Amino acid sequence: MADFVSARRGLPGGDLPPATALILDRVRLGAGGPLARLRVAGGRVTHVVAEEGAGGRAMPAGGERVLDLEGRVLLPGLWDAHVHMTEWASARHRLDLSGNASARAVADIVRERGGGASDGAVLFGYGFRDGLWPDAPHKALLDAVLPDRPVALVSADLHAAWLNSACLALVGRGDHPSGLVREHECHEVLSALPAASAEVVDGWIADACEAAAAGCRSRICWTSVRARGSSCPRAR
């Protein structure tokens, strides 16, 4: 089973100051890749030496700390501009409305889940498809179940939003007739809502990446278990 080096979890043996150079021993270059020894300094990999001693530049000698990573996988940073990382991470902190078959069902979810915050924070939800509903979304439905906390629910295609009166007042649209806004008006409304701080969003992204990595490790473990025909506690 592959294990991965996470900068957020920290390296085995504890955290190091950013300027400290260190040697990473027995690190695997990519999942299933060869074992190597790396030198890291100033946030960059400065030397790579294959385990057999072939390839790469000579490893400098000195009193640098050596960490044995015991075959953990080291990967380069990944960048995909179309993942919408912030939306993906933020969705884990919003109500998932994708499985609801009516506006009334969504209002029931808002009633059940929306009373926790006492600071007036906006309650966000996502994933509704009102075109498939027998009833129409209306601010009165949300007002009846959660009148005091702003509620902003975003459709699955991100082109519509359903708001209660408290949220409409927050964005200067208190006189909106229905609370359902589409297309350009939807984007204007969502842009006007208070956003989480960069520090909070960074934390959400880090948590989401950790959860995704944990899921990958579990799937790798389960695949290995099925291939071997043995049991593993992590696969249960």
Side-chain angles (χ1 to χ4, degrees):
M1 185 189 77
D3 196 7
F4 294 84
V5 179
S6 166
R8 190 164 183 260
R9 283 203 308 264
L11 294 166
D15 295 330
L16 295 171
T20 302
L22 71 156
I23 306 299
L24 306 181
D25 200 16
R26 291 200 299 163
V27 62
R28 196 170 296 281
L29 302 180
L35 289 172
R37 169 176 275 214
L38 280 71
R39 180 179 183 270
V40 181
R44 294 179 178 274
V45 175
T46 63
H47 295 74
V48 178
V49 178
E51 189 181 49
E52 309 84 72
R57 290 176 285 173
M59 188 68 67
E64 297 169 345
R65 183 174 175 182
V66 177
L67 297 177
D68 186 355
L69 294 185
E70 301 176 336
R72 288 179 172 85
V73 173
L74 182 71
L75 295 175
L78 303 178
W79 182 272
D80 186 340
H82 205 75
V83 163
H84 299 293
M85 184 74 76
T86 299
E87 287 295 326
W88 169 62
S90 299
R92 301 177 75 244
H93 299 266
R94 299 174 177 177
L95 300 180
D96 183 355
L97 308 174
S98 57
N100 292 281
S102 68
R104 174 61 63 184
V106 168
D108 289 341
I109 293 293
V110 170
R111 176 193 290 113
E112 295 169 6
R113 302 277 299 279
S118 58
D119 58 357
V122 177
L123 175 67
F124 283 97
Y126 71 96
F128 74 81
R129 298 181 182 275
D130 60 302
L132 303 177
W133 291 348
D135 52 354
H138 194 280
K139 62 182 180 180
L141 278 173
L142 300 178
D143 291 347
V145 297
L146 201 64
D148 300 323
R149 182 179 178 185
V151 178
L153 311 178
V154 184
S155 65
D157 63 3
L158 306 180
H159 287 260
W162 177 17
L163 288 70
N164 68 350
S165 294
C167 198
L168 289 166
L170 189 62
V171 296
R173 284 175 164 80
D175 58 349
H176 195 279
S178 68
L180 184 67
V181 293
R182 298 191 187 275
E183 300 301 344
H184 183 67
E185 187 179 14
C186 169
H187 301 316
E188 285 186 339
V189 164
L190 295 179
S191 297
L193 289 173
S197 68
E199 292 76 15
V200 169
V201 173
D202 285 348
W204 289 350
I205 291 174
D207 289 340
C209 290
E210 289 284 355
C216 287
R217 288 196 293 271
S218 296
R219 286 193 293 273
I220 291 170
C221 182
W222 179 234
T223 300
S224 177
V225 166
R226 288 190 297 179
R228 294 196 309 266
S230 59
S231 60
C232 171
R234 295 187 68 174
R236 293 171 188 161

